[in-house]
Amino acid sequence: MSTTSLTPKLNSGSVQAIPLGAIAPWAIFGLLLAIVGIYFVGAEQGATALFKGMYVHEFVHDARHLLGFPCH
Ligand SMILES: [Zn+2]
């Protein structure tokens, strides 16, 4: 008969905290990527468009509707 435990087993017995200074640059980088992604999904159209044509708009069109941004 096998016994299973739902509690995690730690090898060292302690969990090391990650310093905020080590996480902050990656958090800022991730935030910038998210802002760029939200811009392209939500505002890359018409007067605020960075690229000519409708290619980017059509590429993210389903995401735009999924997130509730106004479209057409
Ligand atoms: Zn649409």
Side-chain angles (χ1 to χ4, degrees), residues 2-50:
S2 67
T3 60
T4 58
S5 175
L6 297 178
T7 58
K9 295 179 180 175
L10 301 175
N11 292 334
S12 64
S14 66
V15 177
Q16 296 245 339
I18 301 173
L20 182 61
I23 293 177
W26 292 103
I28 292 170
F29 179 66
L31 183 66
L32 287 175
L33 284 180
I35 288 171
V36 168
I38 289 172
Y39 167 77
F40 278 110
V41 169
E44 174 65 17
Q45 181 181 11
T48 60
L50 295 178

Side-chain angles (χ1 to χ4, degrees), residues 45 57-58 61-62 64-65 69-72:
Q45 181 181 11
H57 175 82
E58 294 299 331
H61 192 241
D62 290 343
R64 175 183 296 252
H65 281 270
F69 285 101
C71 186
H72 51 82

